[in-house]
Amino acid sequence: GDPNTATKLVFLFPDGSGAGTAYGTLPKIHDNVAFIGLNSPFLRQAQDFTCSIERMARLWVDEVRRLQPKGQKYVLGGWSAGGYYAFEVAKLLTNAGEKIEQMILIDSPCRLKYEALPEHVVNELTRKGLMGAVGQKKAPEWLIAHFKSTVISVDKYMPTPLAKEKVPRKVSFIWVKEGLVKNVAESGLDVDMSVKVTRFLLEPRGDLKTEGWEELLPGAKYDFNYMTGNHFQITQPFHADSLGKHLQKCIKP
């Protein structure tokens, strides 16, 4: 979409890779809607990413306000850890008197219910080529480094609820149902399957619902959507079209 002519901007925060360009595969969903993918300030310098999730949100909020003038309701979303960033930016905006129209949480496991992904699992997924890889192409080193820095920040992150009067009217969930592998025992992955977030990534799932987010965003109207692919395929070709269809359904121009 074109941010200069769109009547609605949708701000999408990145997953652990930090790359807002991941959303560049999304199809256009409406003439009046534009997606804005935000990059991490530490995109190719993960060694400097030592701050908290809340601090990252403060680094982003001015950019969001620059791109959308005060007084208009905001639509914020994010994939995976991007859901945490979107939530913290929503807090900052509402504390400044702004309103959030809608939040879109894309396969984002609520931190109240799920742990940070253990670094050992990140290493195992990288070893097996399951981490941010596209086809036969391996994930670049900067992406893995940023992901590891994100995991460290997520491990220290424990969110608190948004005040009920500040909660957006609508919260849309988009979940995948496929796991990263068909059978963990046969995958050759050396991981501890007692860790909930590891199971969340690796195993096929049923129809997930609010998964703990109802405690952070109480009283909203929730809708649930289920797209193709696994957690790391969400913005890859073909699956991005599925995500686009669900975003089109969720977002009213």
Side-chain angles (χ1 to χ4, degrees):
D2 183 350
N4 297 311
T5 58
T7 54
K8 180 170 286 186
L9 300 181
V10 178
F11 292 93
L12 295 173
F13 294 86
D15 75 323
S17 73
T21 48
Y23 297 113
T25 54
L26 284 172
K28 187 174 180 177
I29 65 162
H30 195 280
D31 287 342
N32 294 334
V33 175
F35 294 118
I36 294 180
L38 292 138
N39 281 323
S40 164
F42 305 105
L43 191 55
R44 290 176 184 268
Q45 48 197 38
Q47 70 280 4
D48 297 326
F49 177 9
T50 57
C51 64
S52 65
I53 298 292
E54 294 91 339
R55 173 67 181 148
M56 280 286 272
R58 288 197 291 276
L59 294 175
W60 265 312
V61 72
D62 288 343
E63 182 71 355
V64 171
R65 295 185 86 164
R66 182 183 72 80
L67 292 163
Q68 181 170 315
K70 290 182 185 180
Q72 296 179 18
K73 290 184 179 179
Y74 290 84
V75 179
L76 308 175
W79 162 28
S80 197
Y84 308 163
Y85 298 134
F87 177 73
E88 292 300 329
V89 169
K91 270 190 174 176
L92 293 171
L93 288 170
T94 53
N95 286 344
E98 304 291 351
K99 287 190 165 36
I100 311 299
E101 178 181 338
Q102 182 179 4
M103 286 194 66
I104 303 163
L105 299 167
I106 304 166
D107 218 51
S108 184
C110 180
R111 188 64 185 85
L112 298 184
K113 186 168 177 178
Y114 292 92
E115 315 88 340
L117 192 64
E119 187 175 352
H120 174 69
V121 177
V122 178
N123 292 335
E124 279 291 288
L125 295 177
T126 304
R127 180 177 70 83
K128 281 287 189 179
L130 294 168
M131 185 80 185
V134 181
Q136 298 301 310
K137 193 177 174 185
K138 282 188 174 181
E141 284 185 19
W142 62 261
L143 185 153
I144 302 297
H146 194 284
F147 198 97
K148 287 182 177 180
S149 292
T150 303
V151 164
I152 291 167
S153 286
V154 169
D155 189 49
K156 299 171 186 170
Y157 175 58
M158 191 47 64
T160 56
L162 200 59
K164 197 163 185 178
E165 67 275 9
K166 295 178 178 177
V167 170
R169 183 182 56 82
K170 185 177 182 186
V171 177
S172 298
F173 293 86
I174 301 176
W175 300 109
V176 299
K177 295 175 77 169
E178 294 177 26
L180 289 181
V181 293
K182 285 190 169 68
N183 185 301
V184 177
E186 294 173 7
S187 69
L189 289 167
D190 177 19
V191 294
D192 179 1
M193 291 302 287
S194 69
V195 179
K196 280 182 284 191
V197 75
T198 304
R199 294 200 304 273
F200 172 88
L201 273 185
L202 296 184
E203 292 182 333
R205 319 179 199 146
D207 292 354
L208 298 185
K209 298 297 184 183
T210 53
E211 292 298 298
W213 282 103
E214 75 283 356
E215 293 182 43
L216 297 175
L217 294 160
K221 181 183 177 187
Y222 310 116
D223 62 83
F224 306 100
N225 307 272
Y226 304 95
M227 63 171 283
T228 62
N230 65 44
H231 183 80
F232 289 129
Q233 293 175 327
I234 279 172
T235 61
Q236 290 183 12
F238 175 72
H239 302 295
D241 288 340
S242 175
L243 176 57
K245 283 175 189 168
H246 289 296
L247 287 168
Q248 189 172 39
K249 194 165 62 171
C250 293
I251 299 163
K252 298 292 177 245

